[in-house]
Amino acid sequence: MSDLGIDISLTVNGEQVSERVEPRQTLVDFLRDNLGLTGSHVGCEHGVCGACTVRVDGAIVRGCLMLAVQCAGSQVETIEGLSDSGEVADLQAAFEQRNALQCGFCTPGMIATAQDLLAGGGVPSRDEIREHISGNYCRCTGYHAIVDAVEAVALQRAGAAK
Amino acid sequence: MKPAPFAYKKARSLDEAVALLGEHKDARLLAGGQSLIATLNMRLSAPSLLIDINGLSGLDGITAKEGMVEIGALVRHVQAERSEIIAKLVPLIARAMPHIGHAAIRNRGTLGGSIAFADPAAELPACLMALDGEVEATGPKGKRTIKAQDFFKGLFETALGPQELLTAIRIPAATKDTRVGFAELARRHGDYAIVGLAASAQGDGKGLKDVRLSFFGTGDTPSRARKAETALESGDIDAAVAALDLEPHDDVQAPAKVKKHLAGVLLRRVAKQLMEART
Amino acid sequence: MKITADSPPTLSALDRPNSYIGRSVPRPNLARLTQGRGQYVSDVTLPRMAHVAFVRSPHAHARIVSIATDAAKTSPGVIAVVTGAELAKVMTPWVGVLTHLKGLKSAPQSPIAVDVACWQGEAVCAVVARSRAEAEDACELVEVAYEDLPAVTDPETALDARTHVIHASLGDNLCFERKLEAGAVDKAFAESDAVVETTFVFGRHTGVTNEPRAIVADWNPGDQRLTVYQGTQAPHMMQDLFAKHLGLAADQVRVLTKDVGGSFGIKVHTYADEMATVALSKLLKRPVKFVADRIESFVTDIHARDQRVKGKIGVTKDGTITAFEIDVLTGIGPYSVYPRTSGIEANQVVNLTGGPYSCPNYRAQARVVFQNKNVMCQYRAVGHPIAVAVTEGLVELAAAKIGMDPLEIRRRNLIADDAYPCGSASGLKFEKLSHHEALAHLDTMMNYAGVRAEQSKLRKQGIYRGIGFASFIEVTNPSAAFYGVGGARITSQDGATVKLDAQGAIIIHSGVTEQGQGAEAVLAQCVASSFGVSLDKVRVVTGDTDNTPYGGGTWASRAAGIGGEAAWQAGKALRGNVLAVAGAMLQAKPEDLDIRNSVVVDKASGTERLTLAELARVAYFRPDTLPPGFQAELMATRHYVPRAWPFAFTNGIQASYLEIDTDTGFVKLIDHWCIEDCGTIINPQLVDEQIRGGVVQGIGAALFEQCLYDERGQMLNGNMADYLVPMAVEMPDIQCGHVVSPTADSELGAKGAGEAGTAGAPACIMNAINDALRPLGAKPLTDMPFTPGKILQALGKV
Ligand SMILES: Cc1cc2nc3c(=O)[nH]c(=O)nc-3n(C[C@H](O)[C@H](O)[C@H](O)COP(=O)(O)OP(=O)(O)OC[C@H]3O[C@@H](n4cnc5c(N)ncnc54)[C@H](O)[C@@H]3O)c2cc1C
Ligand code: FES
Ligand code: FES
């Protein structure tokens, strides 16, 4: 690494992490290369595909359009963390049941984005679901099954909330 | 596709940011990063230093006073989207917001960044023009105000000096007579538009006055269609369309003649909104 | 919504106790992927692994005068800077030809361009460094001096005498040419009541797999073996090619393919940069990783389609189609892609055009020419979207001309459901298709009469909606006729090995690969059913040339039909073996026993006799208790290759219902239906999702996707902001239905289903657009993608 390296400390999936990073390293590369969290994917590196979607301080962001150095002091959550905590277990189950993934490359980002929508409560319409995932590219499924799965979980959660 | 190396400095104060801009001629300010980091990743730009302004305090507020709404440069798109002040007093921006990118982009992107970046196909610069807003710039000599129509100079080019930051935008608050209209045509939801139109006017009895039509995606900067504005003020939509004096270029999205035609269609739709939107 | 967890089995012949055939069971490997625990090649890291980045030609055609690498070599982190000439000492060049495509020619292609760069994006130098970022830093320091050569970009003039010849050694820019004549074409046209002629244009587009191409090559001089982690559809084919061009024996090469982030035909070819990566590993004696970034993917992943087809159809007043004629021209880049060649797509268009119809008169000509753009080759549904759009476009134009309903003209011309076996005018052989049943099913499912009524009602309100159809046939389960007979070492057979482990569970090793389509689920369902265990007792291993039977992998919709049959048979064979052990243990006749739900039972009464766990315990740990001379065989392998038919054709019909904003030219998709006959349906949910994903790729081609080039051969929109892939908001829900005509060539009777959606969707979108615009007197649109600009132009508004 060049002499530009900067020490950062942050929380990733609840664990305290301290690393020296080059300023040019994006958050998603940091997660994948430094921390081995390969569940966040790299599909375009220019903000369009959404495969790199992770949560920083509670908000979904593009992991390729944030620098790791910008996350000093932040709480970062990746699909690994969301899985281990059980937060998205119902979405994962619905995606599996409904075959809402084929190659699965878009899935971690898709689930993080769907969770962001559903966390707002209520049962979104199919159009609203499509709109919220409009920045997440899936080449395999054609989206229909993904919308089905997200809708099913929304209904399920609304039912459970009653 | 990894950025060329650069140094990174998180500015602790506006003064420090201004000073750093002075010390490093090819430094770039980093706001939401939703445009800048993509261009860095593609090595379309290779600054030696990034000055991160995200930590600067006092730049993330939305306030209304004395008939103006002030929006701090670091207000994120999502914040504007959810702001009651904007919904009520800057309804044009509220209408434009959902068209900008996608949820994850809007969580990071800033209004200041969007206006400073001055993408000719972006919604917010056009809204600022339509609303006769102004930009507050802060530099070594302090603050100055630049009217929107003087701010956008050319393709991705603004009136900001090399050592200046955009610190806020200010927009006259909507009154009961204010009418706004917004429409854009994008192939896919959240894409930059092929053509868009942000408009404002004052209701004047049965007619309109102070019509401001600000097109985006049709030139190097957001473009006012002044002859069409005059025609609309006299209530003649057909004449307004005929008078559209835009000169779009061909781009990968659409040839110039298609853009020109679509601009006319949008003008009709937005004119209807302006005329119908009686508050 | 309905989550279909399960549905009753539909097939009596395959309906063994606890059969999984015909059931929508979830795929076994999904939890790994939903949890982000997949292992894609881009995730792989190895000790001492280096990263390669390539300096790529900014010119479409240029002589490489000199390459100065000194500055790059001293850049931080750099391990090596390697030119084409240097790499040529490690790896031999290749030529993409097939002998059964007579006359097809191409020039030798090297992993890195040696003297001449032939397209914008071709690698001219490699930089290997500790990190990808450092490799890219050094790429900027490599100085290449180019001398511009004339760029050949327009296929229409590529063969003109005054056009520069790209490969002087070939004599001209013609790659391949084919002519076909069947029946009495001129006479048929002369006797027609109406003849329609038009030119169809298909935009160049590409696969845009979400995970770009990725490869990690690891040459280990210690054991003289090369291990390659590659996101590929055909591991054994790649093993063969790596070995051949590095001068190794095939057994010195191991190709491993775990999770692949989408393929669609993109990942079944030989890519120069991937070959270079392998050669660099050999040269540097350490693992080297290459992950294409999105920008280089756009100029190096194979492109496809890009054809101009002049088409002509004749009809009589009663709607009988009298003849089809086509003239195909396509530019495929500077090289025919190895080893499948770039002649196949045009060749398929010739084969498939007119295919659903009984019309005997057909004339076709196809010319495939070289040009200085990125290479083109096979992408999902090779040739089908073109042939279907040309055929179905002509049929609907003819129907409009004689004032006949578009479904009615099809009813009058589609091959009768009782006419099989039969052939097409182009010489295709059909075992059993179901065009009419599919059409009737569609008619009902979409409520055609109702949709038409709504359409005409809305027209009166100035709302322009269109309904379009596309009948289609699809090539699946290819035999050796596809590649093998042409001399390519691409196997059409596939194998499966099934073994019983020491606790009574089943492990399958298969030569087909999982690209996300659900191959592993299908294999597990086949074996669970034919052997007799529940699905949770089956584990599937694919994508490892050291450990799976030799196989072709995944392409041309073959995994379920061919790989599935091999697995089905292997499961049956193992059941026989296991029942022999059970017979010995129980002193019963094996033929009186069966295996159900992991238990050996009396076949007649179902009485439980012995669990597989107990049987395995005895067979593995107490074989001394088995009768003398009896040897338990707890592993069985079977192979399968289609022999009776060159291809198992499938068929179907799609319909699109859409609305056009006639002011803006924007198209809104309202509904989409697809009826498909892929023979035995092993897993209905997986079939439907193949269709849906495929339809959306077809919609992309029809409305959005195009690699735009300028006349100098520069790609203008090679990024994901400007190259428009279909996203969620603009796509419709897609309704699927089925007809089942199993192939008798295999016991399973399954044909493929991977490409039908892509094959038919562009045609029915086109037809729906033209149906919507017809009352406005618009000139029919036949130039894909149908952008707002083109629609406005057809309407005379711009
Ligand atoms: C997939 C995708 C889709 C998008 N779609 C749209 C869309 O439809 N419409 C749209 O308008 N935008 C769109 N965007 C862009 C998004 O809105 C950006 O956030 C915005 O354009 C830039 O804001 P930013 O805060 O991210 O700025 P940055 O990317 O941080 O900066 C952009 C430029 O502005 C400069 N800058 C930033 N802040 C200041 C300041 N305060 N003073 C001076 N200079 C400054 C930076 O130095 C840089 O040169 C999209 C982005 C992506 C990735
Ligand atoms: S990799 Fe970040 S959006 Fe594509
Ligand atoms: S499942 Fe492959 S990209 Fe979505």
Side-chain angles (χ1 to χ4, degrees), chain A residues 47, chain B residues 28-29 31-36 77 105 109-110 114 116 122-123 166 190 192:
Chain B
R28 293 287 289 274
L29 297 169
Q34 303 303 287
S35 297
L36 180 58
H77 297 330
I105 308 286
T110 66
S114 185
E123 289 82 359
L166 186 161
Y192 281 105

Side-chain angles (χ1 to χ4, degrees), chain A residues 1-7 20-24, chain B residues 5-8 48, chain C residues 76 130 134:
Chain A
M1 190 188 306
S2 60
D3 51 2
L4 299 168
I6 291 179
D7 293 320
R20 190 173 183 80
V21 298
E22 266 195 287
R24 66 162 145 177
Chain B
F6 51 77
Y8 168 87
S48 64
Chain C
R130 284 177 314 194
E134 287 171 326

Side-chain angles (χ1 to χ4, degrees), chain A residues 87-98 111 114-115 118-119 122-124 129 146-161, chain C residues 1 3:
Chain A
E87 182 184 335
V88 295
D90 51 359
L91 274 167
Q92 288 166 324
F95 270 59
E96 291 156 24
Q97 278 294 321
R98 182 58 190 82
I111 286 180
Q115 174 65 2
L118 298 188
V123 179
I129 294 169
I146 294 174
V147 178
D148 281 354
V150 175
E151 187 181 33
V153 173
L155 289 166
Q156 214 173 294
R157 288 192 191 175
Chain C
M1 117 196 212
I3 285 189

